[in-house]
Amino acid sequence: MHRSDHPAISVSGLVVRYGDVVAVDGLDLHAEAGQVLGLLGRNGAGKTSTVEALEGYRRAAAGRLEVLGLDPQRPDDRTRLARRVGVMLQSGGVYPAMAPGEALRLFASYYDDPVAPSALLERLGLEDVARTPWRRLSGGEQQRLSLALALVGRPEVVFLDEPTAGVDPHGRVAIRAEVARLKAGGVCVVLTTHELEEAERLADRIVIIEKGSVVAAGTPAELTSEGGDAAARGGTGAGGGAGVAGVAGMRFGAPPGLDTAALAAVLGAAVEEIEPGQYRVADPGRPATVAALAGWLAERDLPLADLRTGRERLEEVFLRLTAGDRGGAREEEGR
Amino acid sequence: MRAFRAQAAAELRLTARRGDAVLLNLAIPVGLLVFFSLVDVLPRPAHVAHAVTFLTPGILALAVMSTSMVSLGIATGFERQYGVLKRLGATPLGRPRLLAAKIASIAVIEIFQVIVLVAVAFAVGWNPSGPVWLAVPAVLLGTAAFAGLGLLMAGALRAEVTLAAANGLYLALLLLGGMIFPLSKLPGGMRDFARALPAGALSDALHGSLAAGGGVPGRAWVVLALWAVAAPVAAARLFRWE
């Protein structure tokens, strides 16, 4: 199959506005063929607006967008891209009275060399509901059909807007398998999610978006590893520079209000109460430190609620980078 | 061409599955035609001897209005609401072919309606006379005018509002459109108003072409042609795809 020399996705300085509200504020993205790029952010962060600008649905107020070297904002380029790009909307998109088999055959007719509908039904576990109208499918079945419809034209770039939202564990496995298959086939996948675990499982590279700007980007390992500061993009907008991607350390839960200074002296490492009853120790979790912590708590007859060592989980990175100012979260996304 | 054929076939299948569309496009017109042809209670113009002579052109106009305005408008409005139109915009189908497929499906439904209604009319004693071929341009212009109105509602209003508005308009135009009640029986001001509407103009044109007595008045052609241009232009201007 023809593959262009252009990057699959190239975005610089993207701005999307709804009236006076700025949904995307100077965003940069880059993705190559065979790469799975996860856009992670809470509701209203600007993920859908970004993806819809790349799909040609939203007008970019500023910035340069390229998909396979074409500009989706230009009508004739968008027409060319329609043959090469697969789209899964956040919701809907299928005739409510149409069954999966029928919808896939219809969409297959739009393309010159479609994937056989029967193969997609089988891969996504939709054979048993192939004749059930869309409106009677479960949320997960609807999502899997939307994914199948995005794939039927053998796209080179696929946009998946919250593909696993409302999908049960079996459906998630099927969707992950399709994403892996796309990646193996050299397809570039851009997916949005606010579910951190999904982003970590699905994506090669994660871009954390907050208030329309990139606050961190990197592989899941980079984002969660110590010294991942290089991955965090300071100063690119609100929230930028606040931190640091992944601080390794030991975290534990215990009754709130411990004497952290005394404990630090015993452990020989700084101790911080990051939230009531949750503590972080500036120590990678050496057995001696763990033993000292357990001993210190035992002397005082205090319970240990939980204990984690090593890499920070992506969730913690995400919550830290997008902390604060929740009231400022924009609500227009997806409208 | 394959995409167009598949899309048109899908539009037809979806219409056939919609109970409201089958009722509106077929059951109600056939029912009205049969009932009021056999039960002679409706007023008719003085020179018309049989109820079926007056009813058949009017019911054909009603069938055109049902298919191209009510059925098309409601279906398209819900397709917009469910994101179907948005999703299709990201496929190689393209808007021109989608529109062509909708037009083709309307044409097929109307041909089917005409065959059924004419057969039923003959069965209850219809005997057409007049410049019958003029019914063809009348139906084409009427279809363009009503489809424009249907798509105008579908593209500018919420689907539920389109549903209500299309059905309300259907009832109003059924009464004011010369379809089962002759326009000549309406009071003067109301009659002039009705003749300026696409329903009145279409039924005037069909009565003139399918029943003896003077042919189609020029005014009906002018009104029909104006609506056939203005309504689609307004729909194209105001249509929002999502």
Side-chain angles (χ1 to χ4, degrees), chain B residues 11-30:
Chain B
E11 300 272 349
L12 281 171
R13 281 198 309 275
L14 290 169
T15 308
R17 261 178 239 167
R18 280 174 46 217
D20 63 305
V22 175
L23 182 74
L24 208 66
N25 295 342
L26 209 57
I28 290 178
V30 168

Side-chain angles (χ1 to χ4, degrees), chain A residues 180-267:
Chain A
R181 177 193 276 266
L182 289 168
K183 178 179 160 56
V187 175
C188 173
V189 180
V190 178
L191 59 93
T192 75
T193 179
H194 54 251
E195 291 174 70
L196 308 136
E197 204 187 326
E198 283 304 314
E200 208 169 358
R201 281 182 186 237
L202 288 169
D204 305 322
R205 254 174 71 75
I206 293 174
V207 170
I208 300 182
I209 299 178
E210 173 69 1
K211 294 182 183 168
S213 303
V214 175
V215 291
T219 64
E222 282 168 352
L223 285 172
T224 53
S225 69
E226 190 169 19
D229 300 54
R233 307 215 347 188
T236 52
V244 246
V247 177
M250 186 167 88
R251 281 167 298 280
F252 67 93
L258 296 185
D259 182 350
T260 52
L263 179 58
V266 171
L267 299 182

